[in-house]
Amino acid sequence: RKEVEQDPGPFNVPEGATVAFNCTYSNSASQSFFWYRQDCRKEPKLLMSVYSSGNEDGRFTAQLNRASQYISLLIRDSKLSDSATYLCAVYGGKLTFGQGTILTVHP
Amino acid sequence: EAGVAQSPRYKIIEKRQSVAFWCNPISGHATLYWYQQILGQGPKLLIQFQNNGVVDDSQLPKDRFSAERLKGVDSTLKIQPAKLEDSAVYLCASSSYSGSYEQYFGPGTRLTVT
């Protein structure tokens, strides 16, 4: 079993749609959780940290479920500019990334 | 604030040749990381430095890869000899201290081994 797993997609959604990504992790001792965004041929950029209480940043909501060992990212009112690969990352001594979920938002 | 700098941005070499990559982290960041990202996968940690000491190099293929951070600032990653499967993007990242898990990435070096 991979340490961090994501559905690779791709997810193709129209503008304005709501889309959700899940990510599961195997190390129950993991301490911190993140979502990164990676545009084509660019470096990953930190989108948001994920806290136990859940957190929101504009159209983006991240949640953590420690009991089931998964994190999620919800994007509301999708924009064309949201098209990217979304990487979840889990810190348990080192930062381990999932393989990424490809999102394409179309007009 | 300047971000993480890397060079070169692209490199094409033949198998069995050697190659070196350079990274300059964000000013004041004590922790530096090298990642390998193969197409279609997430970044994989190769080595982590805290100042000029190695914290984790468990996933570094030490028979061919080496890295150093002599003065606790810049770092170089070397591959010698390169194999076809080393074709990937090599990303450098830094964080302000070992307890901060938020990492900031450089633009990467895209290596093609032919």
Side-chain angles (χ1 to χ4, degrees):
Chain A
R1 182 185 174 186
K2 289 182 180 177
E3 290 184 65
V4 180
E5 288 196 78
Q6 292 182 252
D7 179 348
F11 286 69
N12 292 293
V13 303
E15 277 186 289
T18 296
V19 62
F21 310 133
N22 286 329
C23 170
T24 59
Y25 61 94
S26 60
N27 182 0
S28 59
S30 297
Q31 301 157 284
S32 298
F33 309 88
F34 306 93
W35 284 101
Y36 280 79
R37 170 192 169 125
Q38 187 170 28
D39 292 303
C40 187
R41 303 180 76 87
K42 298 284 189 179
E43 72 272 23
K45 292 191 175 177
L46 182 63
L47 181 65
M48 56 199 304
S49 302
V50 187
Y51 303 116
S52 296
S53 55
N55 47 303
E56 189 173 307
D57 183 2
R59 298 182 292 108
F60 298 82
T61 300
Q63 292 193 314
L64 166 64
N65 185 318
R66 284 191 182 271
S68 300
Q69 294 183 207
Y70 78 82
I71 62 175
S72 64
L73 178 68
L74 182 78
I75 306 175
R76 292 182 300 277
D77 188 23
S78 299
K79 312 290 185 190
L80 295 177
S81 56
D82 293 335
S83 296
T85 297
Y86 291 83
L87 295 157
C88 68
V90 175
Y91 186 86
K94 66 174 185 272
L95 199 61
T96 301
F97 286 84
Q99 68 184 101
T101 297
I102 299 171
L103 172 66
T104 301
V105 181
H106 57 82
Chain B
E1 179 181 76
V4 177
Q6 290 188 248
S7 68
R9 293 295 309 277
Y10 305 92
K11 191 73 177 179
I12 301 174
I13 61 172
E14 295 182 353
K15 59 184 178 184
R16 292 187 290 274
Q17 287 187 323
S18 62
V19 64
F21 313 128
W22 173 82
C23 172
N24 183 250
I26 293 172
S27 178
H29 279 196
T31 310
L32 184 148
Y33 314 81
W34 284 101
Y35 289 86
Q36 179 193 59
Q37 186 173 24
I38 293 171
L39 188 65
Q41 299 181 21
K44 183 184 85 171
L45 180 69
L46 293 175
I47 189 167
Q48 176 184 342
F49 291 95
Q50 174 72 15
N51 295 310
N52 60 348
V54 175
V55 174
D56 183 352
D57 64 356
S58 58
Q59 298 189 100
L60 186 73
K62 298 180 186 65
D63 58 334
R64 298 184 301 106
F65 286 63
S66 64
E68 60 183 12
R69 193 184 185 199
L70 291 176
K71 296 183 179 179
V73 181
D74 294 6
S75 177
T76 56
L77 176 70
K78 296 179 182 178
I79 307 175
Q80 182 180 6
K83 293 185 175 181
L84 295 176
E85 58 261 36
D86 298 332
S87 294
V89 177
Y90 290 84
L91 294 159
C92 180
S94 68
S95 61
S96 59
Y97 58 92
S98 189
S100 168
Y101 312 130
E102 293 183 359
Q103 299 180 19
Y104 300 89
F105 286 83
T109 296
R110 187 172 298 273
L111 174 67
T112 302
V113 182
T114 63

